[in-house]
Every structure is written in structure tokens, then in C-alpha cells.
Amino acid sequence: DLHSFPTRRSSDLHIVYIELMERFAARGQAHSFRLWFGERLVAARLALTARDMLVFLKTTYDEQYSQYAAGRLLLHATLEEIASRALAQRVEFYTKANQDMLEWASATRDIAHVDLYRSAAARRAIELARRAATGLGPRALGLGAKKQAERADS
């Protein structure tokens, strides 16, 4: 959602994006591409550059303008801008690509997501919290449910 795009008052993940962008901006390697309809911001895309590569990190758009494919319009304009300004020789999309995204690609590779935890207890607590957040109550998690021995009648 465009209205929750990273700001100083955002979630932890948004703060990671802000800090990353600030770090790269100090070296002139952070880019924010935006699409406006008049005075209204309808799409935004964050990117970083290093050497000859530009990496798209995050894209968001105003869902009120989804019928105009604002994210796609921004992507097209952004690729034109990258080429005209020679910002990069290679463009990377840091995302799990769908078929529509693959149409822009000349090559693909897998991305691995890895979670590291300080301890097994921290890992277990986070797993339980994620399950609870997806609507699985204590019974589905095996908590608070009494196990009863099944007895076969002969």
C-alpha cells in the first residue's frame, strides 16, 4: 500500500528499508522512482545501485489507481530512465517473480530466504507467533488440548 510506504514512523521492516536507503544515499547509490498523476503520488519504487547493477527492492502503488496499472507504468518509465541516464548495465528484481515479471527478464535465479535466531527458544516463540497470526489457535498448535488414548473395542 502506497500510504504505508517507508516513513520514520513505520514498522521495523520499513525502518530497515529507510536505513538501507540512507546508507546507500550517502554514496549516491539510492534511488526512488515515483509516478505522479497530477499532484497525486500513485506509485513508487525503491532501488540501489552498485557497480554496473541496479537492484529494485520495493514497489508500491495506490490501489485506487490499479485500473491504470500504475506500478507497470512506473516500471516502464523507470527502465527508460535507467537506460537514458546509463544508471546501470544490469537490472535486478529482488522479488519472487511471477509470470508477468518474467516477461521483462533475460535470466532468472532463485532467491533464498533465511531466518537466523539467537536461540532455539527465540525460534520457537517466533514460529508460535506466526502460526497464531495466521489464525491457528492454541488447539491447532497442540497447546491446551488434552490427548486422549484411543482404545480399540474388540
Side-chain angles (χ1 to χ4, degrees):
D1 177 351
L2 188 62
H3 302 292
S4 67
F5 211 55
T7 65
R8 276 285 172 206
R9 292 170 283 155
S10 296
S11 70
D12 291 341
L13 181 58
H14 288 159
I15 291 170
V16 168
Y17 279 116
I18 290 168
E19 291 173 357
L20 185 63
M21 292 294 288
E22 286 174 345
R23 210 170 323 132
F24 274 75
R27 298 188 303 263
Q29 296 175 304
H31 305 275
S32 173
F33 300 95
R34 295 173 298 264
L35 178 65
W36 298 83
F37 287 179
E39 297 292 316
R40 178 100 178 169
L41 177 62
V42 295
R45 184 178 284 271
L46 300 179
L48 304 174
T49 53
R51 294 180 297 277
D52 67 340
M53 179 175 52
L54 181 138
V55 178
F56 287 124
L57 297 177
K58 179 81 175 151
T59 302
T60 191
Y61 63 92
D62 188 329
E63 291 182 6
Q64 292 180 7
Y65 294 87
S66 62
Q67 72 269 26
Y68 300 108
R72 291 286 168 223
L73 290 172
L74 177 60
L75 176 58
H76 184 267
T78 300
L79 291 173
E80 284 184 337
E81 179 77 8
I82 292 166
S84 70
R85 291 181 40 205
L87 286 175
Q89 294 176 4
R90 187 174 69 216
V91 175
E92 299 275 340
F93 292 85
Y94 187 70
T95 188
K96 182 175 179 164
N98 59 26
Q99 190 57 42
D100 190 40
M101 295 284 300
L102 293 173
E103 291 180 14
W104 295 91
S106 58
T108 64
R109 65 177 161 270
D110 292 329
I111 299 175
H113 176 89
V114 178
D115 290 330
L116 298 177
Y117 302 97
R118 292 177 188 241
S119 68
R123 180 183 59 81
R124 183 72 179 139
I126 290 170
E127 286 173 354
L128 288 171
R130 284 182 180 153
R131 287 182 187 149
T134 60
L136 298 176
R139 292 188 94 79
L141 297 174
L143 303 174
K146 292 183 182 177
K147 292 187 178 182
Q148 296 179 350
E150 292 183 305
R151 192 168 53 184
D153 292 330
S154 42

